[in-house]
Amino acid sequence: MTDSPEIIEVDRDRLWSSLEQLARIGAYDDEDAGTVGVRRLALTDEDLAGRRLVLEWFEDAGLSVRYDRMGNVYARRPGLDDRLAPVRIGSHLDTVITGGRFDGALGVLGGLEVVRALNDAGVTTQRPLEIVIFTDEEGVRFETVTLGSSVAAGRIPLEQARALTDRDGVTVGEELDRHGFTDGDPVPAPEPYAYLECHIEQGPVLAAEELQVGLVTGIFAITWKEVVFTGVAAHAGTTPYELRHNAGLAAALVTVALHEMVRSGRYGDMRATAGRVEQQPNATNVVPGSALMTIDMRCSDAGHMAAAQEALDDAIHRAAEEAKVAVSVRVTARTPPVEFDPEVRTALAKSASNLGLSSREMISGAAHDAGEMAAVGPAGMVFVPGLHDGISHNAREWSTPEACADGVAVLLRAACELAGTPTTAG
Amino acid sequence: MTDSPEIIEVDRDRLWSSLEQLARIGAYDDEDAGTVGVRRLALTDEDLAGRRLVLEWFEDAGLSVRYDRMGNVYARRPGLDDRLAPVRIGSHLDTVITGGRFDGALGVLGGLEVVRALNDAGVTTQRPLEIVIFTDEEGVRFETVTLGSSVAAGRIPLEQARALTDRDGVTVGEELDRHGFTDGDPVPAPEPYAYLECHIEQGPVLAAEELQVGLVTGIFAITWKEVVFTGVAAHAGTTPYELRHNAGLAAALVTVALHEMVRSGRYGDMRATAGRVEQQPNATNVVPGSALMTIDMRCSDAGHMAAAQEALDDAIHRAAEEAKVAVSVRVTARTPPVEFDPEVRTALAKSASNLGLSSREMISGAAHDAGEMAAVGPAGMVFVPGLHDGISHNAREWSTPEACADGVAVLLRAACELAGTPTTAG
């Protein structure tokens, strides 16, 4: 029994302390949030400084580190049979502009804690373990989410990723070269035996239901559209109503139509959001001459998504007609729904259950690196609850030492089961 | 007959040339409009430079100039009986940030052309004539429209006007002092016998109907409201629809409700516009946590306005409930409907008819200095058509030498009738 995973324990305080130390890199005073946030945009000096600290910890934990040409980092703990495909545990260290300390970091430092706990227990798994840091999950700087993992998975070619530019015209390629990733391993990366990721929920559900962990069944399909209505800016007082070409009205009609679509229940678990609306010239006494809006739609079913996109396009064109404006629509993001691997899900669920943790199955509304990994091999995720209504991408993003340790304990047991410990393997 | 107004003629080219010369002061290259615009914000150096040029012309035309403590300028042409209350003709020389060359300038330079034409014809009117330049009609810099004329009319006390600040914290009072208006005549100004104003329509109606002048019957009542919805910014993917507090949705619901109100026909000639909408944080994948919107409502009937405001408030609160957000509403402007004086309207209509000009009666959807003047004495306005769908507050604002001369010819005849020429008076 001494080698069995039952007695391998996550060190809650060590995990929390690592999260705290990492959060100091890129820390900034967020006046709006009234607290300290984290800003480590992908491939900036702050992002690399964060990685350097974690790489030191990887080395202290005895891991051997390599990286690929996309800057993704793999920190390896050999298995008893080191020829077997590894079990990978990972996430990302980059943040949004107003980030918190858990989003991404918990997945990487959770992987590190799994290794530290195994080291403490003196347990070596049958398969190798690899802790992964994926480059640029957030997509803020180069406007493409899960960039590193999608290159690792072969969905986006390296050259296409390297050509992406930030607002200052700096390319991903220039940044990869600057940071010395050019001589890394080729991509796509060899497929792992399984991929595991622990992540803060970034939503209110687990906290509202007072549950300890979320067992993630998959990731919503996502479609983003950018809609531009073009009318004629005109004086609000002097332009008769029937002579108006009101772009702002068209945008509002679409927002309301979206709301009605969701409430109709015809599109399953669809969530729809008009997050960004920009009218021009945006003055009290001027009929809006143009309006840009974005539409974010997510649901778990590809058929519902297709039907909803069709209904949305109808609504957009009806709105343009009603407001007498021209319209152009551009799809800016589209990912299919992800369903996580049954074996990995079972391993995570069994771990939670053996640990006596309260849990529920849930679908992730947000994209994650695990979604990219699911396309090339078995993958799964465990969520931990966030405080403050699950606020994320905000300095107020918060969780607790207990919640984080619970999620990582699930990760540890599932990793041991999938990688095989002498006991389970033997 | 030699002294009768029938043979006093407006010099079309002189008027046009004056408009052109004045437009060079504050001229700027407007890339969006693809042409040169005019920017003379109230009480700036550009505004004063524009006035200086016009004051030279006033002096060349033999007018004696005085000003009041609000910086309003009165250029006087004595009457045969100089003790009589004057007929005033005027408008403003300040512009919006992206202004054209007609809005305001046509009223002042039209008044100057009336004087020049009378000088050329050697005609002295019974009553004195005064050409007025009102300070800060546009309200862009100090956020209060028709400021100078409302102080002249006694609606706004001078000290209240002086206390208004621009975005840099500079007060109206500081600017009036800087430009040397402190020792001007007291306000309110003595009431004129009548007030006349020629203005570009700033709307599409006259051009669409191919008419030469508009006979303005009054000015719409105006109510501005600023509405702030406060919800909770939340992740668009991870926040279940039923847990959202979507401020952007509330704003869209109000915009659509406004549209339905206007289309219902229940509020007469009501025009309603949601000109400004600002969501926060305004990102594709974030449920809007707050939304500010402005609502501009105008109509000719006070009863319709009152009913519409009540319906609007209902719609705002229904929207807040539907979107589960808090709301605050602030009235930022409210003016009653203006009805112009029957005698002045008749004088203007007779002038247009005698000149053989095609015309129609129309209500002004925009506020004008004449609206303030109507509160203290007989007032009236004549509109000239604008090109490019009547676009105004834009560098593309445009009219023609003929259209401007037609409007000023109407002004000239009406001024002669109201001020009395030796013929008409005799």
Side-chain angles (χ1 to χ4, degrees), chain A residues 202 237-238 244 259 271 273, chain B residues 202 237-238 244 271 273 322:
Chain A
Q202 304 185 282
T238 61
R244 295 180 176 207
H259 178 59
R271 293 169 188 171
T273 311
Chain B
Q202 305 185 279
T238 61
R244 295 179 177 208
R271 293 169 188 169
T273 311
E322 176 78 12

Side-chain angles (χ1 to χ4, degrees), chain A residues 103-116:
Chain A
D103 177 358
L106 177 60
V108 174
L109 299 183
L112 173 63
E113 179 55 33
V114 166
V115 167
R116 285 170 164 172

Side-chain angles (χ1 to χ4, degrees), chain A residues 202 204 236-238 241 243-244 249 259 262-263 271-279 282-284 286 294 298 322 365, chain B residues 202 204 236-238 241 243-244 249 252 259 263 271-279 282-284 286 294 298 322 365:
Chain A
Q202 304 185 282
T238 61
Y241 213 75
L243 296 182
R244 295 180 176 207
L249 171 61
H259 178 59
V262 171
R263 295 212 320 169
R271 293 169 188 171
T273 311
R276 188 170 158 215
V277 172
E278 277 159 28
Q279 299 190 166
N282 211 36
T284 303
V286 184
T294 59
R298 311 194 188 207
E322 177 79 13
Chain B
Q202 305 185 279
T238 61
Y241 212 75
L243 295 182
R244 295 179 177 208
L249 170 63
H259 178 59
R263 294 213 321 170
R271 293 169 188 169
T273 311
R276 190 171 156 215
V277 173
E278 277 160 29
Q279 298 189 165
N282 211 36
T284 302
V286 184
T294 60
R298 313 197 187 205
E322 176 78 12

Side-chain angles (χ1 to χ4, degrees), chain A residues 342-366:
Chain A
E343 191 197 345
V344 175
R345 284 172 55 189
T346 302
L348 290 163
K350 222 175 77 184
S351 299
S353 157
N354 286 343
L355 287 159
L357 298 173
S358 59
S359 68
R360 62 166 281 174
E361 292 199 330
M362 58 197 306
I363 303 179
S364 173

Side-chain angles (χ1 to χ4, degrees), chain A residues 283-297:
Chain A
T284 303
N285 62 346
V286 184
V287 177
S290 74
L292 175 150
M293 72 187 298
T294 59
I295 297 157
D296 172 312
M297 292 180 96

Side-chain angles (χ1 to χ4, degrees), chain A residues 171-336:
Chain A
T171 65
V172 167
E174 284 161 1
E175 288 293 68
L176 289 173
D177 294 347
R178 180 167 79 90
H179 296 305
F181 293 119
T182 316
D183 64 348
D185 291 349
V187 285
E191 291 165 18
Y193 177 72
Y195 174 84
L196 297 173
E197 185 168 350
C198 176
H199 207 281
I200 190 164
E201 180 196 344
Q202 304 185 282
V205 176
L206 292 175
E209 300 184 7
E210 297 183 3
L211 297 173
Q212 290 169 295
V213 292
L215 302 166
V216 189
T217 57
I219 300 180
F220 272 179
I222 303 178
T223 303
W224 282 4
K225 279 184 174 161
E226 186 181 276
V227 183
V228 177
F229 293 107
T230 306
V232 179
H235 195 298
T238 61
T239 311
Y241 213 75
E242 63 277 13
L243 296 182
R244 295 180 176 207
H245 304 276
N246 184 341
L249 171 61
L253 286 164
V254 171
T255 299
V256 172
L258 267 185
H259 178 59
E260 284 162 3
M261 280 171 61
V262 171
R263 295 212 320 169
S264 74
R266 278 198 301 277
Y267 307 98
D269 53 15
M270 172 71 59
R271 293 169 188 171
T273 311
R276 188 170 158 215
V277 172
E278 277 159 28
Q279 299 190 166
Q280 296 298 340
N282 211 36
T284 303
N285 62 346
V286 184
V287 177
S290 74
L292 175 150
M293 72 187 298
T294 59
I295 297 157
D296 172 312
M297 292 180 96
R298 311 194 188 207
C299 73
S300 62
D301 181 82
H304 281 145
M305 178 60 93
Q309 289 300 320
E310 205 170 303
L312 169 62
D313 288 342
D314 277 357
I316 290 169
H317 288 100
R318 278 199 314 275
E321 202 172 313
E322 177 79 13
K324 290 181 278 187
V325 297
V327 64
S328 69
V329 182
R330 203 161 63 89
V331 175
T332 54
R334 179 154 46 197
T335 59

Side-chain angles (χ1 to χ4, degrees), chain B residues 1 23 253 368 375 379 418:
Chain B
M1 280 295 285
L253 285 164
H368 292 290
L418 292 163

Side-chain angles (χ1 to χ4, degrees), chain B residues 42-61:
Chain B
L43 294 175
T44 58
D45 292 344
E46 289 73 25
D47 186 20
L48 270 286
R51 285 170 171 231
R52 269 195 299 279
L53 176 63
V54 175
L55 290 181
E56 278 173 33
W57 291 336
F58 283 169
E59 282 166 24
D60 291 348

